Amino acid sequence: MLLEVKDINVYYGVIHAIKNVSFEVNQGEIVALIGANGAGKTSIMHTISGLIRSRSGSIHFDGKDISKVASHKIPGLGLVQVPEGRHVFTEMTVLENLEMGAYLRKDKENIQKDLEKVFKRFSRLEERKNQLAGTLSGGEQQMLAMGRALMSKPSLLLLDEPSMGLSPILVNEIFDIIKSINKDGVTVLLVEQNANKALSIADRAYVLETGNVIVSGQAKEVADNPKVKEAYLG
């Protein structure tokens, strides 16, 4: 098991946002967390990344308890988040953004090789490598955020709402890219409001409602669940 989240509880002031949530992600899987807006998906991602703290419970990554590890140290362990809303460095070029992704790496000689791999996967980024990231379209910024994360050589990639605000054609492209990243050996935890798309590429899924996991199982079983169909799959 690569990631084990056990009984985490997250509060914002007096609001109990995440209630005893447990789930796991095995090496090589794509696991989807789906649910309506405000269900707690992003809060869970931020808790795993160390951006917010769980009041109780534990998070183990690759056998190590990371519940108390400082957020800036977590990418160095191989766990990297692509945040909701992309958050590229708008005043830096595409190339500089990608180089920032590799800032923790010690194997400098392989960085150039990985940069070439990113450009091969996202050819549009190579065409725009000297352009300021702030001038890219939403889809290109999403690709840049994913490319920047890949430059840190993650074993687990957390993707928070990668399809948000994108046209249907671009959504398909992003999901194809997620599948190919996974095929290359990167495990993926995917938070996504587009439940149909998420379930179509995931191995397993967990459905969140008001901070609780209400359904879990193989992605196909979850997609066939009447309750899930009615609430999320239209």
Side-chain angles (χ1 to χ4, degrees):
M1 193 189 305
L2 189 59
L3 178 74
E4 183 186 23
V5 173
K6 207 167 167 56
D7 298 328
I8 61 169
N9 285 279
V10 174
Y11 289 80
Y12 294 105
V14 294
I15 296 162
H16 193 178
I18 304 296
K19 301 158 188 157
N20 286 317
V21 164
S22 297
F23 64 92
E24 58 198 43
V25 180
N26 299 308
Q27 184 87 43
E29 287 188 310
I30 296 178
V31 173
L33 291 182
I34 60 175
N37 245 342
K41 304 184 301 293
T42 294
S43 294
I44 288 173
M45 292 297 233
H46 285 174
T47 308
I48 296 168
S49 296
L51 295 168
I52 52 182
R53 292 282 174 223
S54 172
R55 201 174 281 185
S56 58
S58 65
I59 299 165
H60 282 82
F61 173 65
D62 208 8
K64 178 181 179 179
D65 186 345
I66 60 165
S67 334
K68 306 281 188 292
V69 175
S71 58
H72 67 277
K73 290 187 173 160
I74 285 179
L77 303 174
L79 192 165
V80 178
Q81 181 172 352
V82 178
E84 181 185 353
R86 310 184 250 286
H87 295 289
V88 296
F89 301 111
T90 53
E91 298 298 315
M92 293 165 80
T93 66
V94 166
L95 183 59
E96 287 166 340
N97 267 270
L98 293 171
E99 287 168 345
M100 283 298 283
Y103 82 102
L104 282 175
R105 287 175 58 177
K106 307 282 185 276
D107 59 331
K108 300 296 176 215
E109 65 288 349
N110 293 321
I111 289 175
Q112 187 55 39
K113 272 188 219 153
D114 287 330
L115 192 59
E116 283 158 21
K117 271 191 211 160
V118 167
F119 283 146
K120 200 171 169 189
R121 179 168 267 135
F122 305 98
S123 54
R124 238 170 294 180
L125 296 184
E126 184 165 30
E127 291 159 20
R128 292 163 173 62
K129 66 181 177 190
N130 298 316
Q131 216 170 297
L132 289 181
T135 65
L136 300 179
S137 70
E140 289 160 353
Q141 288 192 14
Q142 183 61 49
M143 289 174 193
L144 179 55
M146 288 165 74
R148 181 179 63 191
L150 291 173
M151 285 300 293
S152 64
K153 284 195 94 64
S155 49
L156 176 60
L157 190 60
L158 308 185
L159 290 170
D160 195 353
E161 302 286 6
S163 77
M164 191 186 253
L166 303 185
S167 69
I169 290 173
L170 267 175
V171 169
N172 289 337
E173 195 177 332
I174 291 291
F175 274 85
D176 285 342
I177 289 165
I178 296 167
K179 281 194 292 193
S180 82
I181 288 168
N182 179 246
K183 254 199 194 91
D184 287 349
V186 180
T187 304
V188 176
L189 177 61
L190 171 66
V191 153
E192 182 53 71
Q193 256 187 296
N194 186 333
N196 275 313
K197 286 303 285 184
L199 293 171
S200 75
I201 68 163
D203 298 293
R204 292 186 307 107
Y206 295 85
V207 181
L208 283 166
E209 205 170 83
T210 56
N212 296 286
V213 172
I214 55 158
V215 176
S216 66
Q218 296 298 316
K220 188 167 176 359
E221 288 165 21
V222 172
D224 289 340
N225 180 305
K227 198 171 173 184
V228 175
K229 267 185 173 159
E230 190 188 343
Y232 305 108
L233 305 177

